[in-house]
Amino acid sequence: PLLLSRISSQHPINMKMPSRSQGLAFNLHTSFSPLIPLYHTFLLDQFGVLHNGSQGLHGAVETINSLLHPSSGEPPKKLAILSNTSSPSSVALKRLKKYGLSEEMFDGGLVSSGEECSKFVRDNFCNKKALWFTWEESDAQNPLQFLSHCETECCSIEVAHSVTDADFILLHGSQVWRRCRESISKQDEEITQDLRFLYEGDHSILDPILKEAAKKNLPMLCANPDLIVGLPGGVVGNMPGEPKCCWVFHSN
């Protein structure tokens, strides 16, 4: 299978290329067309490959259709999505319609880090209290839906009010620290606190919490290990993977 992913243009990765005598470690293609007959399965990243969170990327829908209906008369390619989204897989699949795609196009389904994180919570932190970092409620984000996905009929997750009464850290998002699971009608710092981290990259609120959690040796689960994300308008967002790195530093 061929894995299609992305490299952030805002933070390029420095790669040491092999010498000409050694040969290239990979091939660079200016067109997708030559790759289609070479593979029968394509594993696709989602954000930055199919869409940018607001709309489908130019040519993405056409490329998917060309994979499902090869001009050479070959059988349709098998497609699957591997994504670092913190949303459950079923939720991420339903969002594809917004970008001009559909669930039926991806017969291999969608595997998200949020889905795997919620499974791990169900299996290992049943009836425990979570120190919950998440997103603000919006049309695009539903934190309560994710928390419910971490539960079963006989297993619930409580939301801790402080590090002291927490059993583990649930790093679902990097926007707010939420101290309850009730739906929030307006911002109340007693219930939810803006971390000033997603857009500002400010560690002044987050770091003291993580230092205290490290002293208690709390385990951390990260639902989205991305460090950064490129947002519409050229904005770079700081993602949950960066606080995870900070926590590792503090715990050492």
Side-chain angles (χ1 to χ4, degrees), residues 229-240:
V229 63
L231 299 171
V235 177
V236 177
N238 298 286
M239 298 297 282

Side-chain angles (χ1 to χ4, degrees), residues 12-215:
I13 298 174
N14 295 321
M15 295 183 180
K16 184 178 181 181
M17 298 297 291
S19 65
R20 186 173 295 274
S21 60
Q22 293 175 307
L24 286 174
F26 53 86
N27 295 321
L28 299 178
H29 297 272
T30 57
S31 172
F32 198 83
S33 299
L35 300 174
I36 294 178
L38 300 180
Y39 302 89
H40 59 76
T41 302
F42 289 78
L43 306 180
L44 306 167
D45 194 357
Q46 184 181 206
F47 200 102
V49 173
L50 299 176
H51 63 82
N52 64 3
S54 296
Q55 59 187 12
L57 295 181
H58 176 71
V61 175
E62 292 79 5
T63 300
I64 295 300
N65 283 324
S66 68
L67 292 170
L68 296 174
H69 308 284
S71 58
S72 60
E74 295 179 70
K77 306 298 180 179
K78 293 185 179 297
L79 307 180
I81 296 175
L82 300 177
S83 175
N84 272 349
T85 178
S86 56
S87 298
S89 295
S90 59
V91 174
L93 270 173
K94 290 177 182 177
R95 285 187 190 142
L96 293 176
K97 186 177 180 180
K98 173 183 177 182
Y99 311 116
L101 302 166
S102 68
E103 298 180 44
E104 292 73 23
M105 291 176 168
F106 304 91
D107 57 357
L110 184 153
V111 177
S112 71
S113 54
E115 182 70 34
E116 296 306 306
C117 179
S118 63
K119 288 179 182 177
F120 195 87
V121 172
R122 291 196 297 269
D123 292 342
N124 297 275
F125 293 94
C126 184
N127 300 320
K128 300 293 185 181
K129 289 187 176 181
L131 188 68
W132 189 23
F133 299 109
T134 186
W135 311 107
E136 288 184 350
E137 290 186 34
S138 67
D139 292 338
Q141 297 290 347
N142 189 336
L144 293 176
Q145 186 180 46
F146 173 79
L147 198 63
S148 295
H149 198 64
C150 294
E151 301 174 313
T152 65
E153 290 184 2
C154 58
C155 175
S156 63
I157 301 299
E158 293 186 57
V159 177
H161 294 278
S162 66
V163 173
T164 304
D165 64 338
D167 297 305
F168 70 105
I169 303 170
L170 184 55
L171 189 51
H172 174 233
S174 56
Q175 196 168 11
V176 298
W177 174 19
R178 187 158 169 169
R179 299 181 181 88
C180 80
R181 62 179 302 147
E182 288 75 21
S183 185
I184 302 167
S185 58
K186 66 177 184 177
Q187 296 301 317
D188 181 349
E189 287 205 0
E190 293 298 318
I191 298 174
T192 179
Q193 181 176 3
D194 185 354
L195 294 172
R196 300 204 302 268
F197 181 77
L198 176 61
Y199 300 112
E200 295 92 338
D202 186 346
H203 286 262
S204 62
I205 296 174
L206 188 60
D207 274 16
I209 302 171
L210 294 178
K211 287 179 180 178
E212 185 180 353
K215 291 178 181 178

